[in-house]
Amino acid sequence: MRHPLHPALVHFPIACWSLATAADLASLAWGEPAWRFAGVMLLAGIGFSIPAMLAGFVELAKVTEDNPAIKDVNRHMILVMNALAFYTASLFLRLQGTRLAEPGVLAIGLSVVGFLSLCVAGWLGGKLVNMHRLGVKPPPPA
């Protein structure tokens, strides 16, 4: 493949999880329609995160230990895994069997913390591409 698959796949969990957090906060005013939507978006984001993370691990294998970007790569990976853990915990807290129930303060709080972790991870992902030039094809020689 000519360019990495990871950057193409991350948009799906980012969008789903961001919408889930927004819907969680909106549910405080709008109630059931918003929290039901948040639950569905949490589930979709978790599902979409798996192929995105697997593609990230493929890219990680290309980064050598002596690469100056390795610390940011590891921070990015840890923050994304934290986001996944927070969002998964939030989803489990709102499940009653296989049905979604109204989220409590803890479930919404975990969603917000997951979003903050996701934001920092995304910023680091941008840094990896734009500053460290990971996954960027070098320009042709002049």
Side-chain angles (χ1 to χ4, degrees):
M1 184 171 259
R2 291 190 178 229
H3 77 75
L5 187 57
H6 178 68
L9 295 176
V10 298
H11 301 287
F12 299 104
I14 290 171
C16 291
W17 285 340
S18 299
L19 286 170
T21 302
D24 269 342
L25 295 174
S27 75
L28 300 173
W30 296 339
E32 185 173 354
W35 63 253
R36 285 204 181 279
F37 179 72
V40 171
M41 287 295 98
L42 284 173
L43 186 60
I46 292 165
F48 284 128
S49 74
I50 304 306
M53 287 182 182
L54 290 174
F57 282 126
V58 169
E59 294 306 310
L60 174 62
K62 298 175 187 175
V63 180
T64 61
E65 286 294 320
D66 62 341
N67 189 315
I70 197 69
K71 285 183 182 179
D72 285 333
V73 169
N74 289 329
R75 288 182 189 123
H76 172 73
M77 181 176 57
I78 289 167
L79 284 163
V80 171
M81 290 189 303
N82 281 337
L84 173 61
F86 289 128
Y87 281 121
T88 301
S90 179
L91 177 64
F92 278 115
L93 285 174
R94 61 185 80 211
L95 287 176
Q96 290 180 345
T98 58
R99 293 176 116 45
L100 285 172
E102 183 174 3
V105 174
L106 181 58
I108 293 173
L110 287 170
S111 179
V112 170
V113 174
F115 179 73
L116 295 174
S117 182
L118 186 66
C119 288
V120 178
W123 179 82
L124 279 170
K127 182 179 178 184
L128 292 171
V129 172
N130 295 311
M131 293 178 72
H132 293 292
R133 310 297 290 165
L134 291 183
V136 176
K137 187 176 180 181

